[in-house]
Amino acid sequence: MVNIFKAPHRRLNPLTNEWLLVSPQRTERPWQGQIEKTVEEYRPAYDPGCYLCPGNARAGDNRNPDYEGPFVFDNDFPALLPGSESAEDRTHPLFQSQSERGICRVVCFSPRHDWTLAHMPVPDIRRVVDVWAEQTADLAEQFEWMRYVQVFENKGAMMGCSNPHPHGQIWATEHLPREIDKEDKAQRAFYEARGRTMVAEILGEERRRTERLVYENAHWTIIVPFWAVWPFEVMLIANRPVQMIEELDDTEREALADALSALTIRYDNLFQTSFPYSMGFHQAPVNTGEQPHWHLHAHFYPPLLRSATVKKHMVGYEMLATPQRDITAEAAAARLRERAGERYA
Ligand code: H2U
Ligand code: ZN
């Protein structure tokens, strides 16, 4: 039998049915790659040149109000359009296309230009949770053709985020996006076979095994999934198998804000840097009827590997064959557990 802490092996992601290669024997290999310099840049609480700060001008003739809590606006450069004009559908089996309608919004988390989720007081994060819930419900109701509302945050210049002002985005579409489609099929098959959600089963096992637990409160559990691809990838899971953010009750929303704070602080503490990541919630498709197989969760995909500047590159074998990691999910979880406490400096 292979020792999964010492020998190369594959792990399966049951949510996507995709395999990952793990090479724990390589974690001590010498590093001769790129070492970038970190500059901890100073940021003011209000930046007159920031298009997300209160009162400032945006593209076109748009101007932000003097907002005090979270603030949502329609993206001035949307990737999707809600219009009735549809692109030509191509039906040749090898050259298929479908028109796609949708809405793109930007969600400013706070008026404070110098904050991130890791700086925000938990009650302020809670207001962002309410906005995510409201937005999902409103978009579904306003557009009967809407099928999926993707709530996400892309944080840090390393992730291509153009503005450090704390904000996320919402892209809502007429079709299920690729990752959602994979998770939908896998969760449905599991639910039909076992009568409970796949995510509930994962949660039960992880809480029993504890080696991949990062943080838990009364309503949420954070784990490094067994099949994590990114070094410090985590899943944030609702303990109750709800399908939508809007179904969360008051205490669950507060607990979600607490978990987001706890996680982002641990992330920042890990390499003493404002930790970059892409994160997003996976909730059930909208306007689709009962979907008991869906179980609300969020994924965090951070690019950093061994310091504030050294990131994992998804290149070579990973582009051509399958993703690979050296540090095990269990080792990553242990390192994140150790970083509890106040945010560094
Ligand atoms: P990101 O840095 O996470 O991409 O978010 C910035 C978003 O803000 C981006 O999607 C939008 C961009 O289209 N934006 C506006 O809607 N109005 C502006 O005036 C500038 C940027
Ligand atoms: Zn700003």
Side-chain angles (χ1 to χ4, degrees):
M1 238 196 7
V2 299
N3 178 336
I4 65 164
F5 298 105
K6 296 214 169 87
H9 61 281
R10 311 208 288 164
R11 295 188 185 192
L12 177 69
N13 179 343
L15 281 167
T16 58
N17 271 306
E18 292 168 336
W19 288 90
L20 156 88
L21 177 63
V22 187
S23 314
Q25 80 286 1
R26 281 218 312 183
T27 44
E28 297 311 317
R29 95 195 147 112
W31 173 255
Q32 295 185 317
Q34 180 191 14
I35 307 264
E36 305 145 66
K37 276 228 166 66
T38 27
V39 197
E40 192 60 74
E41 64 166 299
Y42 166 79
R43 279 196 279 150
Y46 165 77
D47 177 352
C50 168
Y51 56 78
L52 296 179
C53 274
N56 290 359
R58 295 205 314 272
D61 293 329
N62 300 306
R63 183 169 290 279
N64 298 326
D66 270 320
Y67 65 93
E68 282 164 7
F71 164 59
V72 183
F73 64 91
D74 281 328
N75 198 311
D76 302 311
F77 306 100
L80 294 149
L81 300 167
S84 54
E85 196 184 334
S86 64
E88 180 198 358
D89 286 358
R90 304 271 175 116
T91 53
H92 186 290
L94 300 180
F95 302 93
Q96 299 181 42
S97 73
Q98 295 176 333
S99 59
E100 181 75 288
R101 285 180 286 177
I103 299 278
C104 297
R105 289 186 176 153
V106 178
V107 183
C108 296
F109 295 163
S110 160
R112 285 286 298 260
H113 184 80
D114 54 339
W115 279 0
T116 65
L117 287 177
H119 299 81
M120 285 170 66
V122 170
D124 288 17
I125 301 178
R126 157 66 200 264
R127 295 173 72 186
V128 178
V129 171
D130 288 339
V131 165
W132 289 332
E134 252 166 54
Q135 285 291 320
T136 304
D138 289 353
L139 284 163
E141 195 186 291
Q142 199 183 335
F143 303 97
E144 49 76 28
W145 47 262
M146 200 69 86
R147 286 297 173 275
Y148 199 73
V149 181
Q150 181 62 59
V151 170
F152 67 102
E153 179 192 6
N154 195 33
K155 175 176 175 247
M158 200 176 267
M159 299 304 291
C161 178
S162 57
N163 188 327
H165 193 112
H167 70 284
Q169 298 193 43
I170 296 174
W171 291 21
T173 52
E174 178 175 14
H175 296 98
L176 298 196
R178 185 184 68 175
E179 295 303 308
I180 305 310
D181 190 46
K182 286 187 268 189
E183 290 197 7
D184 184 55
K185 291 190 169 89
Q187 290 184 99
R188 185 191 305 276
F190 186 95
Y191 190 86
E192 280 168 5
R194 306 286 294 274
R196 64 187 300 214
T197 69
M198 177 190 281
V199 174
E201 181 97 15
I202 291 167
L203 194 59
E205 284 297 308
E206 293 292 10
R207 296 177 78 182
R208 190 169 65 75
R209 293 166 190 244
T210 72
E211 61 190 341
R212 282 175 297 273
L213 285 182
V214 172
Y215 179 78
E216 51 185 336
N217 62 29
H219 302 286
W220 294 85
T221 305
I222 301 177
I223 57 165
V224 177
F226 179 70
W227 58 85
V229 165
W230 296 94
F232 297 96
E233 172 178 338
V234 308
M235 242 178 114
L236 165 58
I237 300 171
N239 288 354
R240 188 164 67 95
V242 295
Q243 288 145 27
M244 311 297 293
I245 302 174
E246 67 196 82
E247 288 172 65
L248 298 171
D249 66 26
D250 211 48
T251 52
E252 288 168 323
R253 290 181 189 208
E254 265 164 41
L256 173 55
D258 166 76
L260 287 165
S261 172
L263 174 64
T264 52
I265 288 172
R266 278 163 178 74
Y267 268 163
D268 282 6
N269 287 348
L270 184 63
F271 298 131
Q272 306 235 324
T273 192
S274 184
F275 203 74
Y277 57 73
S278 282
M279 70 77 80
F281 285 89
H282 280 169
Q283 42 185 347
V286 297
N287 298 328
T288 311
E290 290 290 296
Q291 295 169 94
H293 56 291
W294 267 95
H295 187 140
L296 177 67
H297 60 273
H299 298 276
F300 280 73
Y301 301 128
L304 291 179
L305 174 60
R306 63 180 75 229
S307 74
T309 56
V310 179
K311 67 176 174 188
K312 172 183 179 63
H313 294 276
M314 284 283 234
V315 297
Y317 188 79
E318 320 202 289
M319 291 179 97
L320 276 305
T322 206
Q324 182 271 344
R325 65 183 289 144
D326 294 349
I327 174 184
T328 60
E330 296 71 31
R335 292 189 60 187
L336 286 170
R337 277 197 299 271
E338 287 162 13
R339 296 307 192 282
E342 300 280 290
R343 186 180 185 274
Y344 77 96

